[in-house]
Amino acid sequence: MTSLPSDADAIASSLVDPTMFVAVFDRHADAINRYLRRRVGNEVADELTSETFAQAFEHRQSYDRNRPDARPWLYAIAHNLLRHHYRDEERGLRVYARRGVDPMLPAFDSRLDSVGSVLADTELADALAELTRQERDVLLLIAWAELDYKEVAEALGIPVGTVRSRLNRARNRARERLERSGQYEKQRI
Amino acid sequence: MDELQAIRNFRGDVPAWGEDARHAARSALLSHIAAPSARFRRARRGFGHASSRRHPRSWPRLAVVTAVLLLAGLTAASALAIYDFVVGEPAPTPIAEQLAEEGRADPIIPFFAGIPDVVAKSAHSVAAIKTSGGRAILWAVTAEPGPVCYFVEFETLTRRTGQPRGEAICGTRLSSAVPVAYNVSRANVGRRQVVTVVGWVHDNVASVLLRAPDGTEREVALSERFFIAEVRVEKAGDGNSHTLIAKDAAGATLQRIELHLRSSNLPVVPKSMGTKRTVIETRDSRGRPMSLTLVPVEGGRTCLRFETANGMRVSCPPETRVEEGIGVHPTLLGSLVYFSGSVGPEVAKLELHYEDGSMRELPLVERFVLYDVPRERFAKGKRPTLLLARTADGAEVDRRTIAKRLYFGIRREGDVSP
């Protein structure tokens, strides 16, 4: 049985044979794209995904080969690109909070089938919009990208302690909103 | 459910991107990797090294089935894997231009007379393989009507020189009776000499195998009916034979091509020693420079290096000049057809006669000749037909008919086709 090369191996090999870099795309593109879609919508996400891997390829020489998992590095690049879309993201969250329909994802309004869910989501959308960008990044990298604290710290270039504090603030904000909507208490019961 | 779980669920039903979007992003990355970026921006065209093992005849550049057994001692095949991601990439402009120009040059060959130019726009990547000299990309034009043309690019050479280096080669379309056309070519990539077998097959061919001298077989991947594989050349002498085997879908052998030449026949460019001396500096019929340089090499010999706008050819004959008569031959290099070589010491005048009865005296410099045939002389009824050598007092000492079917290897006694 053969084991797949790590991301670090694939990236190192791609310095000799650039085509090896495709393995990194094949492994992580779906997750990166899904994360970006949830943040900024399909169209922008698809563009950013493409750009993320193009930039990653261009900068592969600087990749730290001691890190076998390339996800933090890829999310760092994605976040760097995402910065230009923060306003759109926040605008979308606010619209969602007001109208109950996610403007980023117009095709998914079937979610309106549950009033409770919409209430919770509008509150969450509002909460996410109110977070600072730095807090939102930490929260969503944990919740959506499923990175651990250390990986988030790597992706955002901040200390792990900062990750913890930002996450804590973000969670508190979200909890308050959910409690306000009644969903939180209801679900805890 | 805590707040973190609620956030995890938020927009959790966003569907994954579709196959189309994913494919588009993947293709974009592949283009980015394989793409012609800055390395192709230089407009100047260039060809790779093409040396000749036969003196004074040069290698014909047309790949046809009948003109292929040029190399010897081909042993182990390697790196037959095709990278599917490069397939379909449009060819970089310099390569497309070379392919188009090669296609346009073909009317000089009767077989292609009347066939329209190759459509440069349709030039695209067909396959790529890993070779001992780095990745080689096979670019091709298959648009109908017209000849099949291809260009093998070694990325290492492109990176080094800033432009794709190689040569465009055109050949005939195939029939079920002759289902495989191929050519064996060499490229000097750094200190390595990479030997590749490149070809294309008729529709009735389902697979192509490459059998090594030790009997082991490898299937050569077909991509758009093209194949490309590196063959390792061993220094061992006789007995090395490599076999291409084309099979149909039922597994029946359609064609078997033996490459059973000796490795000692392989053209090897000797190491340059001493001072080079340019004997002829002239211009081709389109005003581009071309030259003939004498290059002393190891072993006390002297090689002839012909440089043209379409590439360079090196010939390393046992003797620098022929001992007598006409040692001048036509060469097709890209769209250029030029006469080169030397004449014996008794020859004072060398005449090139054309089909329409006109004649041109070719300049002789230290008994060497380098002359490009103008394009208008490609037309039927105006083509070169005879070389005639005379002494100083006008006496004819030698004559060579220029083959009617130039570059097809169908020669009569006295013909001087390559």
Side-chain angles (χ1 to χ4, degrees), chain B residues 76-129:
Chain B
S78 67
L80 305 183
I82 295 276
Y83 291 97
D84 63 355
F85 64 86
V86 296
V87 173
E89 287 292 318
T93 302
I95 290 175
E97 284 176 356
Q98 287 180 34
L99 285 164
E101 194 161 349
E102 182 68 19
R104 278 193 290 275
D106 286 335
I108 195 172
I109 302 157
F111 192 90
F112 292 126
I115 294 177
D117 289 351
V118 170
V119 182
K121 278 186 198 167
S122 69
H124 62 282
S125 55
V126 171
I129 60 167

Side-chain angles (χ1 to χ4, degrees), chain A residues 17 19 22 26 30 33-34 37-38 50 58 96 102 105 108 111 121 139 143-144 171 175 184 187, chain B residues 1-3 6-8 10-15 17 21-22 26 28 30 32-33 83 85 130 135:
Chain A
D17 178 358
T19 60
V22 178
D26 290 341
D30 291 351
N33 181 259
R34 182 168 166 75
R37 279 183 168 222
R38 292 173 81 172
S50 215
E58 284 298 317
Y96 190 8
D102 193 342
L105 308 166
F108 312 134
R111 299 176 78 247
D121 282 358
L139 177 63
W144 289 353
R171 287 187 69 166
R175 189 183 306 119
Y184 186 77
Q187 285 169 26
Chain B
M1 183 170 69
D2 66 6
E3 69 285 348
I7 291 166
R8 284 197 178 105
F10 181 70
R11 287 179 175 167
D13 48 359
V14 171
W17 54 353
R22 190 180 196 282
R26 195 173 190 272
L30 295 171
H32 195 74
I33 292 171
Y83 291 97
F85 64 86
K130 257 186 193 173
R135 195 166 72 143

Side-chain angles (χ1 to χ4, degrees), chain A residues 29-151:
Chain A
D30 291 351
I32 297 273
N33 181 259
R34 182 168 166 75
Y35 174 78
L36 291 170
R37 279 183 168 222
R38 292 173 81 172
R39 291 202 63 167
V40 289
N42 300 1
E43 248 181 68
V44 176
D46 291 358
E47 279 179 26
L48 294 186
T49 306
S50 215
E51 186 58 25
T52 296
F53 283 91
Q55 288 205 8
F57 175 76
E58 284 298 317
H59 295 99
R60 67 195 189 284
Q61 279 183 320
S62 62
Y63 183 76
D64 180 355
R65 294 183 205 174
N66 294 320
R67 300 179 193 279
D69 185 353
R71 286 186 311 147
W73 179 61
L74 292 169
Y75 278 106
I77 296 168
H79 269 258
N80 199 36
L81 296 167
L82 196 59
R83 285 183 309 170
H84 305 292
H85 301 275
Y86 277 139
R87 284 188 181 180
D88 293 337
E89 181 186 32
E90 287 161 9
R91 195 178 301 123
L93 288 168
R94 289 202 177 94
V95 168
Y96 190 8
R98 280 202 306 275
R99 299 182 185 169
V101 176
D102 193 342
M104 290 286 186
L105 308 166
F108 312 134
D109 54 5
S110 61
R111 299 176 78 247
L112 289 168
D113 59 358
S114 161
V115 174
S117 169
V118 170
L119 282 174
D121 282 358
T122 54
E123 290 297 336
L124 272 180
D126 204 25
L128 288 172
E130 279 187 12
L131 293 176
T132 65
R133 291 166 188 178
Q134 292 82 356
E135 290 167 351
R136 193 162 58 243
D137 283 344
V138 169
L139 177 63
L140 297 183
L141 280 172
I142 296 276
W144 289 353
E146 298 180 338
L147 300 187
D148 61 29
Y149 291 0
K150 194 176 165 214
E151 290 168 333

